[in-house]
Amino acid sequence: MSPEGGQLRERAYLNLVDSSRQLFELDPGAKIESGEGWLFGAGRSSHPAISNAAFRIDDGLDPALLLERARVFFGELGRGFSLWVRDGAPEDRTLITAAESAGLREVHAMPEMVLRRRAEEHPLPQGIELRRLSSPDEAGDYWRIAAAAYATNGFPPDVFRYDDHDGLLAGNVAAFTAYLDGAPVSIAMTIVSHGVAGIYWVGSVEEARGRGLGRIVTAAATNAGFDLGAEIASLQASKMGRPIYEAMGFETICSYRLLMSPPPRDAVRA
Protein backbone atom coordinates (compact mmCIF):
# COMPACT_ATOMS: atom_id res chain seq x y z
CA MET A 1 0.00 0.00 0.00
CA SER A 2 1.35 3.46 -0.91
CA PRO A 3 1.98 6.04 1.84
CA GLU A 4 -0.90 8.09 0.44
CA GLY A 5 -3.19 5.06 0.51
CA GLY A 6 -2.15 4.24 4.06
CA GLN A 7 -2.88 7.79 5.22
CA LEU A 8 -6.27 7.75 3.54
CA ARG A 9 -7.11 4.42 5.14
CA GLU A 10 -6.08 5.76 8.54
CA ARG A 11 -8.09 8.98 8.17
CA ALA A 12 -11.20 7.07 7.12
CA TYR A 13 -10.84 4.78 10.13
CA LEU A 14 -10.35 7.67 12.53
CA ASN A 15 -13.50 9.26 11.14
CA LEU A 16 -15.37 6.01 11.83
CA VAL A 17 -14.08 5.98 15.41
CA ASP A 18 -14.83 9.65 16.07
CA SER A 19 -18.25 9.40 14.42
CA SER A 20 -19.10 6.35 16.49
CA ARG A 21 -18.21 8.26 19.64
CA GLN A 22 -20.34 11.20 18.49
CA LEU A 23 -23.30 8.92 17.83
CA PHE A 24 -22.91 7.23 21.22
CA GLU A 25 -23.00 10.68 22.78
CA LEU A 26 -26.51 11.20 21.36
CA ASP A 27 -27.70 8.67 23.95
CA PRO A 28 -27.44 10.03 27.51
CA GLY A 29 -27.63 6.44 28.77
CA ALA A 30 -24.62 5.30 26.76
CA LYS A 31 -21.38 4.25 28.44
CA ILE A 32 -18.16 5.35 26.76
CA GLU A 33 -14.60 4.53 27.75
CA SER A 34 -11.52 5.71 25.95
CA GLY A 35 -7.88 5.35 26.78
CA GLU A 36 -4.53 5.59 25.11
CA GLY A 37 -5.25 3.46 22.11
CA TRP A 38 -8.87 2.33 22.36
CA LEU A 39 -12.52 3.36 22.40
CA PHE A 40 -15.41 1.32 23.79
CA GLY A 41 -19.03 2.37 23.44
CA ALA A 42 -22.16 0.74 24.85
CA GLY A 43 -25.49 2.21 23.84
CA ARG A 44 -28.90 1.67 25.35
CA SER A 45 -29.44 -1.40 23.19
CA SER A 46 -27.82 -4.73 24.00
CA HIS A 47 -27.36 -5.40 20.26
CA PRO A 48 -23.77 -6.70 20.16
CA ALA A 49 -22.67 -5.24 16.83
CA ILE A 50 -23.39 -1.54 16.42
CA SER A 51 -24.62 -0.58 19.89
CA ASN A 52 -21.72 -2.27 21.66
CA ALA A 53 -18.52 -1.63 19.76
CA ALA A 54 -14.79 -1.72 20.46
CA PHE A 55 -12.11 0.02 18.42
CA ARG A 56 -8.32 -0.11 18.63
CA ILE A 57 -6.99 3.36 17.80
CA ASP A 58 -3.28 2.74 18.43
CA ASP A 59 -1.99 -0.06 16.21
CA GLY A 60 0.81 -0.62 18.72
CA LEU A 61 -1.58 -1.49 21.55
CA ASP A 62 -1.16 -5.12 22.55
CA PRO A 63 -4.18 -7.15 21.31
CA ALA A 64 -4.38 -9.16 24.53
CA LEU A 65 -4.56 -5.98 26.61
CA LEU A 66 -7.22 -4.50 24.32
CA LEU A 67 -9.38 -7.63 24.52
CA GLU A 68 -8.98 -7.89 28.30
CA ARG A 69 -10.07 -4.27 28.76
CA ALA A 70 -13.01 -4.74 26.38
CA ARG A 71 -14.24 -7.84 28.19
CA VAL A 72 -14.09 -6.06 31.54
CA PHE A 73 -15.92 -2.98 30.21
CA PHE A 74 -18.71 -4.84 28.42
CA GLY A 75 -18.79 -7.68 30.95
CA GLU A 76 -19.68 -5.28 33.75
CA LEU A 77 -22.70 -4.30 31.64
CA GLY A 78 -23.61 -7.92 30.89
CA ARG A 79 -23.05 -7.25 27.19
CA GLY A 80 -21.46 -8.90 24.23
CA PHE A 81 -19.58 -6.64 21.83
CA SER A 82 -18.08 -6.44 18.37
CA LEU A 83 -14.49 -5.49 17.66
CA TRP A 84 -14.03 -3.46 14.47
CA VAL A 85 -10.83 -4.46 12.66
CA ARG A 86 -9.44 -3.33 9.34
CA ASP A 87 -8.30 -6.19 7.15
CA GLY A 88 -5.01 -5.91 5.34
CA ALA A 89 -2.04 -4.49 7.25
CA PRO A 90 0.16 -6.83 9.33
CA GLU A 91 -0.90 -5.21 12.62
CA ASP A 92 -4.54 -5.76 11.67
CA ARG A 93 -3.95 -9.43 10.89
CA THR A 94 -2.24 -9.82 14.26
CA LEU A 95 -5.29 -8.35 16.00
CA ILE A 96 -7.64 -10.61 14.03
CA THR A 97 -5.61 -13.68 14.94
CA ALA A 98 -5.57 -12.71 18.62
CA ALA A 99 -9.31 -12.02 18.64
CA GLU A 100 -10.15 -15.33 16.98
CA SER A 101 -7.86 -17.17 19.40
CA ALA A 102 -9.75 -15.49 22.24
CA GLY A 103 -13.04 -16.85 20.91
CA LEU A 104 -14.36 -13.89 18.92
CA ARG A 105 -16.08 -14.85 15.67
CA GLU A 106 -16.67 -12.85 12.53
CA VAL A 107 -20.31 -11.83 12.14
CA HIS A 108 -20.05 -9.20 9.44
CA ALA A 109 -17.63 -7.81 6.86
CA MET A 110 -17.94 -4.71 4.74
CA PRO A 111 -15.83 -2.65 2.35
CA GLU A 112 -14.49 0.79 3.23
CA MET A 113 -15.27 2.98 0.22
CA VAL A 114 -14.21 6.54 -0.60
CA LEU A 115 -15.19 9.23 -3.07
CA ARG A 116 -12.52 11.78 -3.99
CA ARG A 117 -14.84 14.39 -5.52
CA ARG A 118 -18.28 15.85 -5.05
CA ALA A 119 -21.17 13.56 -5.90
CA GLU A 120 -23.32 14.16 -8.93
CA GLU A 121 -26.78 15.25 -7.87
CA HIS A 122 -29.81 14.37 -10.01
CA PRO A 123 -33.19 16.10 -10.24
CA LEU A 124 -35.63 14.91 -7.61
CA PRO A 125 -38.34 12.51 -8.83
CA GLN A 126 -41.91 13.69 -8.78
CA GLY A 127 -43.37 13.73 -5.29
CA ILE A 128 -39.97 13.73 -3.56
CA GLU A 129 -38.84 16.52 -1.24
CA LEU A 130 -35.35 16.55 0.28
CA ARG A 131 -34.85 18.34 3.59
CA ARG A 132 -31.74 18.99 5.62
CA LEU A 133 -32.41 18.58 9.32
CA SER A 134 -32.68 22.06 10.79
CA SER A 135 -34.33 21.54 14.19
CA PRO A 136 -34.36 18.87 16.91
CA ASP A 137 -38.07 18.34 16.25
CA GLU A 138 -37.25 16.82 12.85
CA ALA A 139 -34.92 14.19 14.31
CA GLY A 140 -37.79 11.91 15.26
CA ASP A 141 -38.60 11.30 11.60
CA TYR A 142 -34.94 10.57 10.92
CA TRP A 143 -34.56 7.88 13.57
CA ARG A 144 -37.96 6.32 12.82
CA ILE A 145 -36.84 5.80 9.22
CA ALA A 146 -33.52 4.38 10.43
CA ALA A 147 -35.32 1.84 12.62
CA ALA A 148 -37.67 0.81 9.81
CA ALA A 149 -34.97 0.64 7.14
CA TYR A 150 -32.44 -1.34 9.17
CA ALA A 151 -34.99 -3.82 10.45
CA THR A 152 -34.34 -5.54 7.09
CA ASN A 153 -30.78 -6.19 8.31
CA GLY A 154 -31.95 -7.54 11.64
CA PHE A 155 -31.32 -4.42 13.72
CA PRO A 156 -33.76 -4.06 16.65
CA PRO A 157 -35.52 -0.67 16.89
CA ASP A 158 -33.86 0.24 20.19
CA VAL A 159 -30.53 0.65 18.37
CA PHE A 160 -31.92 4.02 17.27
CA ARG A 161 -33.28 5.26 20.59
CA TYR A 162 -31.36 8.54 20.68
CA ASP A 163 -32.50 11.35 22.98
CA ASP A 164 -30.02 14.14 22.26
CA HIS A 165 -31.50 15.38 19.01
CA ASP A 166 -29.40 18.55 19.19
CA GLY A 167 -26.44 16.33 18.32
CA LEU A 168 -27.72 16.00 14.75
CA LEU A 169 -27.29 19.77 14.43
CA ALA A 170 -23.64 19.83 15.52
CA GLY A 171 -21.32 21.94 13.41
CA ASN A 172 -19.68 18.92 11.76
CA VAL A 173 -22.95 17.08 11.05
CA ALA A 174 -25.49 17.31 8.24
CA ALA A 175 -28.49 14.96 8.18
CA PHE A 176 -31.03 14.62 5.37
CA THR A 177 -34.49 13.11 5.05
CA ALA A 178 -36.31 12.51 1.78
CA TYR A 179 -40.11 12.73 1.86
CA LEU A 180 -42.43 11.00 -0.59
CA ASP A 181 -45.74 12.81 -0.88
CA GLY A 182 -45.11 14.32 2.53
CA ALA A 183 -44.11 11.09 4.32
CA PRO A 184 -40.49 10.51 5.44
CA VAL A 185 -38.98 7.56 3.56
CA SER A 186 -35.19 7.84 3.18
CA ILE A 187 -32.24 9.18 5.19
CA ALA A 188 -28.48 9.78 5.20
CA MET A 189 -26.07 11.83 7.29
CA THR A 190 -22.47 12.97 7.24
CA ILE A 191 -20.13 13.50 10.18
CA VAL A 192 -16.92 15.32 9.27
CA SER A 193 -13.58 14.81 10.98
CA HIS A 194 -9.94 14.38 9.90
CA GLY A 195 -10.83 15.96 6.56
CA VAL A 196 -13.23 13.08 5.88
CA ALA A 197 -16.99 13.25 5.33
CA GLY A 198 -18.14 10.00 6.90
CA ILE A 199 -21.50 8.92 5.46
CA TYR A 200 -23.67 7.05 7.97
CA TRP A 201 -27.12 5.54 8.39
CA VAL A 202 -28.18 5.58 4.76
CA GLY A 203 -31.50 3.82 4.44
CA SER A 204 -34.96 3.77 2.89
CA VAL A 205 -38.16 2.16 4.06
CA GLU A 206 -38.94 -0.98 2.11
CA GLU A 207 -41.96 0.40 0.25
CA ALA A 208 -39.92 3.34 -1.12
CA ARG A 209 -36.95 1.35 -2.45
CA GLY A 210 -36.15 1.21 -6.14
CA ARG A 211 -36.79 4.94 -6.70
CA GLY A 212 -33.17 6.07 -6.50
CA LEU A 213 -33.65 7.66 -3.10
CA GLY A 214 -30.56 6.06 -1.59
CA ARG A 215 -28.42 7.77 -4.20
CA ILE A 216 -30.22 11.09 -3.69
CA VAL A 217 -29.73 11.23 0.08
CA THR A 218 -26.16 9.89 -0.14
CA ALA A 219 -25.21 12.55 -2.69
CA ALA A 220 -26.75 15.27 -0.53
CA ALA A 221 -24.89 14.11 2.57
CA THR A 222 -21.63 13.70 0.64
CA ASN A 223 -21.70 17.18 -0.82
CA ALA A 224 -22.72 18.69 2.50
CA GLY A 225 -19.60 17.06 3.95
CA PHE A 226 -17.44 18.69 1.29
CA ASP A 227 -19.14 22.01 2.07
CA LEU A 228 -18.17 21.49 5.72
CA GLY A 229 -14.51 21.24 4.71
CA ALA A 230 -13.98 17.55 3.95
CA GLU A 231 -11.46 16.59 1.30
CA ILE A 232 -12.88 13.12 0.72
CA ALA A 233 -16.03 11.14 1.52
CA SER A 234 -16.00 7.73 3.18
CA LEU A 235 -18.51 5.02 4.04
CA GLN A 236 -18.78 1.36 5.03
CA ALA A 237 -21.04 -0.30 2.49
CA SER A 238 -23.70 -2.93 3.01
CA LYS A 239 -24.37 -5.51 0.29
CA MET A 240 -27.52 -3.62 -0.62
CA GLY A 241 -25.80 -0.25 -0.79
CA ARG A 242 -22.53 -1.19 -2.48
CA PRO A 243 -23.83 -1.18 -6.10
CA ILE A 244 -25.34 2.28 -5.52
CA TYR A 245 -22.09 3.66 -4.16
CA GLU A 246 -20.02 2.11 -6.94
CA ALA A 247 -22.30 3.74 -9.52
CA MET A 248 -21.67 7.06 -7.76
CA GLY A 249 -17.90 6.62 -8.09
CA PHE A 250 -17.01 5.36 -4.62
CA GLU A 251 -14.03 2.99 -4.64
CA THR A 252 -12.99 0.34 -2.13
CA ILE A 253 -9.72 0.98 -0.30
CA CYS A 254 -9.89 -1.74 2.38
CA SER A 255 -12.43 -3.76 4.32
CA TYR A 256 -13.64 -4.11 7.89
CA ARG A 257 -14.38 -7.23 9.86
CA LEU A 258 -16.66 -7.26 12.89
CA LEU A 259 -15.55 -9.92 15.36
CA MET A 260 -18.14 -10.62 18.04
CA SER A 261 -17.64 -11.65 21.64
CA PRO A 262 -20.80 -13.11 23.26
CA PRO A 263 -22.26 -11.79 26.51
CA PRO A 264 -20.86 -13.23 29.76
CA ARG A 265 -22.38 -16.60 30.60
CA ASP A 266 -24.15 -15.32 33.69
CA ALA A 267 -25.77 -12.61 31.58
CA VAL A 268 -27.01 -15.24 29.11
CA ARG A 269 -28.57 -17.30 31.92
CA ALA A 270 -30.23 -14.20 33.31
Side-chain angles (χ1 to χ4, degrees), residues 65-102:
L65 177 60
L66 173 73
L67 293 166
E68 178 185 357
R69 289 185 180 276
R71 282 192 157 141
V72 169
F73 174 81
F74 292 102
E76 290 177 348
L77 300 171
R79 301 280 185 86
F81 67 92
S82 286
L83 175 67
W84 287 70
V85 188
R86 293 163 293 179
D87 195 358
E91 59 269 22
D92 301 326
R93 292 194 291 271
T94 300
L95 178 55
I96 291 170
T97 299
E100 291 177 338
S101 297

Coordinates of all heavy atoms in Angstrom, one line a residue, residues 65-102:
L65 N -4.2 -7.0 25.7 CA -4.6 -6.0 26.6 C -5.9 -5.3 26.1 O -6.8 -5.1 27.0 CB -3.5 -4.9 26.7 CG -3.8 -3.7 27.6 CD1 -4.1 -4.2 29.0 CD2 -2.6 -2.7 27.5
L66 N -6.0 -5.1 24.9 CA -7.2 -4.5 24.3 C -8.4 -5.4 24.6 O -9.5 -4.9 25.1 CB -7.1 -4.3 22.8 CG -8.3 -3.9 22.1 CD1 -8.7 -2.4 22.4 CD2 -8.2 -4.1 20.6
L67 N -8.3 -6.7 24.3 CA -9.4 -7.6 24.5 C -9.7 -7.8 26.0 O -10.9 -7.9 26.4 CB -9.0 -9.0 23.9 CG -8.9 -9.0 22.4 CD1 -8.2 -10.2 21.9 CD2 -10.3 -8.8 21.7
E68 N -8.7 -7.8 26.9 CA -9.0 -7.9 28.3 C -9.8 -6.7 28.8 O -10.8 -6.8 29.5 CB -7.7 -8.0 29.1 CG -7.8 -8.0 30.6 CD -6.5 -8.0 31.3 OE1 -5.4 -8.0 30.6 OE2 -6.5 -8.0 32.6
R69 N -9.4 -5.5 28.4 CA -10.1 -4.3 28.8 C -11.5 -4.3 28.2 O -12.4 -3.9 28.9 CB -9.3 -3.0 28.3 CG -8.0 -2.8 29.0 CD -7.4 -1.5 28.5 NE -6.1 -1.2 29.1 CZ -6.0 -0.6 30.3 NH1 -7.1 -0.3 31.0 NH2 -4.8 -0.4 30.8
A70 N -11.7 -4.7 27.0 CA -13.0 -4.7 26.4 C -13.9 -5.7 27.1 O -15.1 -5.4 27.4 CB -12.9 -5.1 24.9
R71 N -13.4 -6.9 27.5 CA -14.2 -7.8 28.2 C -14.6 -7.4 29.6 O -15.7 -7.6 30.1 CB -13.5 -9.2 28.2 CG -13.6 -9.9 26.9 CD -13.2 -11.3 27.0 NE -13.8 -12.1 25.9 CZ -13.2 -13.1 25.2 NH1 -11.9 -13.4 25.5 NH2 -13.8 -13.7 24.3
V72 N -13.7 -6.6 30.2 CA -14.1 -6.1 31.5 C -15.2 -5.0 31.4 O -16.2 -5.0 32.1 CB -12.8 -5.5 32.2 CG1 -13.2 -4.6 33.4 CG2 -11.9 -6.6 32.6
F73 N -15.0 -4.1 30.4 CA -15.9 -3.0 30.2 C -17.3 -3.5 29.9 O -18.3 -3.2 30.5 CB -15.4 -2.1 29.1 CG -16.4 -1.0 28.7 CD1 -16.5 0.2 29.5 CD2 -17.2 -1.1 27.6 CE1 -17.4 1.2 29.1 CE2 -18.1 -0.1 27.2 CZ -18.2 1.0 28.0
F74 N -17.4 -4.3 28.9 CA -18.7 -4.8 28.4 C -19.3 -5.9 29.4 O -20.5 -6.0 29.6 CB -18.6 -5.4 27.0 CG -18.4 -4.3 26.0 CD1 -17.1 -4.1 25.4 CD2 -19.4 -3.5 25.5 CE1 -16.9 -3.2 24.5 CE2 -19.2 -2.5 24.6 CZ -17.9 -2.3 24.1
G75 N -18.3 -6.7 30.0 CA -18.8 -7.7 30.9 C -19.5 -7.1 32.1 O -20.5 -7.7 32.7
E76 N -19.0 -5.9 32.6 CA -19.7 -5.3 33.8 C -21.1 -4.8 33.4 O -21.9 -4.6 34.3 CB -18.8 -4.1 34.2 CG -17.5 -4.5 34.9 CD -16.7 -3.3 35.3 OE1 -17.0 -2.2 34.8 OE2 -15.7 -3.5 36.0
L77 N -21.4 -4.7 32.1 CA -22.7 -4.3 31.6 C -23.5 -5.5 31.2 O -24.7 -5.4 30.8 CB -22.6 -3.3 30.4 CG -21.8 -2.0 30.7 CD1 -21.6 -1.3 29.4 CD2 -22.6 -1.2 31.7
G78 N -22.9 -6.7 31.3 CA -23.6 -7.9 30.9 C -23.8 -8.0 29.4 O -24.7 -8.6 28.9
R79 N -22.9 -7.4 28.6 CA -23.0 -7.2 27.2 C -22.0 -8.1 26.4 O -20.9 -8.3 26.9 CB -22.9 -5.8 26.8 CG -23.9 -4.8 27.4 CD -25.2 -4.8 26.7 NE -26.1 -3.8 27.3 CZ -26.1 -2.5 26.8 NH1 -25.3 -2.1 25.9 NH2 -27.0 -1.7 27.4
G80 N -22.4 -8.5 25.2 CA -21.5 -8.9 24.2 C -21.0 -7.7 23.5 O -21.6 -6.6 23.6
F81 N -20.0 -7.8 22.6 CA -19.6 -6.6 21.8 C -18.9 -7.1 20.5 O -18.6 -8.3 20.4 CB -18.6 -5.8 22.6 CG -17.3 -6.5 22.9 CD1 -16.2 -6.4 22.0 CD2 -17.1 -7.4 24.0 CE1 -15.0 -7.1 22.3 CE2 -15.9 -8.0 24.3 CZ -14.9 -7.9 23.4
S82 N -18.8 -6.2 19.6 CA -18.1 -6.4 18.4 C -16.8 -5.6 18.3 O -16.9 -4.3 18.5 CB -19.0 -6.2 17.2 OG -19.9 -7.3 17.1
L83 N -15.8 -6.2 17.9 CA -14.5 -5.5 17.7 C -14.4 -5.2 16.2 O -14.5 -6.1 15.3 CB -13.3 -6.4 18.1 CG -11.9 -5.9 17.8 CD1 -11.6 -4.6 18.7 CD2 -10.9 -7.0 18.1
W84 N -14.2 -3.9 15.9 CA -14.0 -3.5 14.5 C -12.5 -3.6 14.1 O -11.7 -3.0 14.8 CB -14.5 -2.0 14.3 CG -16.0 -1.8 14.3 CD1 -16.8 -1.9 15.4 CD2 -16.8 -1.4 13.2 NE1 -18.1 -1.6 15.0 CE2 -18.1 -1.3 13.7 CE3 -16.5 -1.2 11.8 CZ2 -19.2 -1.0 12.8 CZ3 -17.6 -0.8 11.0 CH2 -18.9 -0.7 11.5
V85 N -12.2 -4.3 13.1 CA -10.8 -4.5 12.7 C -10.7 -4.2 11.2 O -11.5 -4.8 10.4 CB -10.3 -5.9 13.0 CG1 -8.8 -5.9 12.7 CG2 -10.6 -6.2 14.4
R86 N -9.7 -3.4 10.8 CA -9.4 -3.3 9.3 C -8.7 -4.6 8.9 O -8.0 -5.2 9.7 CB -8.6 -2.1 9.1 CG -9.3 -0.8 9.3 CD -8.3 0.4 9.4 NE -7.5 0.2 10.7 CZ -6.6 1.1 11.0 NH1 -6.3 2.1 10.3 NH2 -5.9 0.9 12.1
D87 N -8.9 -4.9 7.7 CA -8.3 -6.2 7.2 C -7.3 -5.8 6.1 O -7.6 -5.2 5.1 CB -9.4 -7.1 6.5 CG -8.9 -8.5 6.3 OD1 -7.8 -8.8 6.6 OD2 -9.8 -9.3 5.8
G88 N -6.0 -6.2 6.4 CA -5.0 -5.9 5.3 C -3.6 -5.7 5.9 O -2.7 -6.5 5.5
A89 N -3.4 -4.8 6.7 CA -2.0 -4.5 7.3 C -1.6 -5.6 8.2 O -2.5 -6.2 8.9 CB -2.0 -3.1 7.9
P90 N -0.3 -5.8 8.4 CA 0.2 -6.8 9.3 C -0.4 -6.7 10.7 O -0.7 -7.6 11.4 CB 1.7 -6.7 9.3 CG 2.0 -6.1 7.9 CD 0.8 -5.2 7.7
E91 N -0.4 -5.4 11.3 CA -0.9 -5.2 12.6 C -2.4 -5.6 12.7 O -2.8 -6.0 13.8 CB -0.7 -3.8 13.1 CG -1.3 -2.7 12.2 CD -0.4 -2.2 11.1 OE1 0.5 -3.0 10.7 OE2 -0.6 -1.1 10.6
D92 N -3.1 -5.4 11.7 CA -4.5 -5.8 11.7 C -4.7 -7.3 11.7 O -5.5 -7.8 12.4 CB -5.3 -5.2 10.4 CG -5.2 -3.7 10.4 OD1 -5.2 -3.0 11.4 OD2 -5.1 -3.1 9.3
R93 N -3.9 -8.0 10.9 CA -4.0 -9.4 10.9 C -3.6 -10.0 12.3 O -4.1 -11.0 12.7 CB -3.0 -10.0 9.8 CG -3.5 -9.6 8.4 CD -2.8 -10.5 7.3 NE -1.4 -10.1 7.2 CZ -1.0 -9.2 6.4 NH1 -1.8 -8.5 5.6 NH2 0.3 -8.9 6.3
T94 N -2.6 -9.4 12.9 CA -2.2 -9.8 14.3 C -3.4 -9.7 15.2 O -3.7 -10.6 16.1 CB -1.0 -9.0 14.8 OG1 0.1 -9.2 13.9 CG2 -0.6 -9.4 16.2
L95 N -4.1 -8.6 15.1 CA -5.3 -8.4 16.0 C -6.4 -9.4 15.7 O -7.0 -9.9 16.6 CB -5.8 -6.9 15.8 CG -7.1 -6.6 16.7 CD1 -6.8 -6.8 18.1 CD2 -7.4 -5.1 16.4
I96 N -6.6 -9.6 14.4 CA -7.6 -10.6 14.0 C -7.3 -12.0 14.6 O -8.1 -12.7 15.1 CB -7.8 -10.6 12.5 CG1 -8.4 -9.4 12.0 CG2 -8.6 -11.9 12.1 CD1 -8.4 -9.2 10.5
T97 N -6.0 -12.4 14.4 CA -5.6 -13.7 14.9 C -5.8 -13.8 16.5 O -6.3 -14.8 17.0 CB -4.1 -13.9 14.6 OG1 -4.0 -13.9 13.1 CG2 -3.6 -15.2 15.1
A98 N -5.4 -12.7 17.2 CA -5.6 -12.7 18.6 C -7.0 -12.8 19.0 O -7.4 -13.5 20.0 CB -4.9 -11.5 19.2
A99 N -7.9 -12.0 18.3 CA -9.3 -12.0 18.6 C -9.9 -13.4 18.4 O -10.7 -13.9 19.2 CB -10.0 -11.0 17.8
E100 N -9.6 -14.0 17.3 CA -10.2 -15.3 17.0 C -9.6 -16.4 18.0 O -10.4 -17.3 18.4 CB -9.8 -15.7 15.6 CG -10.5 -14.9 14.5 CD -10.1 -15.2 13.1 OE1 -9.0 -15.8 12.9 OE2 -10.9 -14.9 12.2
S101 N -8.4 -16.2 18.4 CA -7.9 -17.2 19.4 C -8.6 -17.0 20.7 O -8.6 -17.9 21.5 CB -6.4 -17.0 19.6 OG -5.7 -17.3 18.4
A102 N -9.1 -15.8 21.0 CA -9.8 -15.5 22.2 C -11.2 -15.8 22.2 O -12.0 -15.6 23.1 CB -9.6 -14.0 22.6

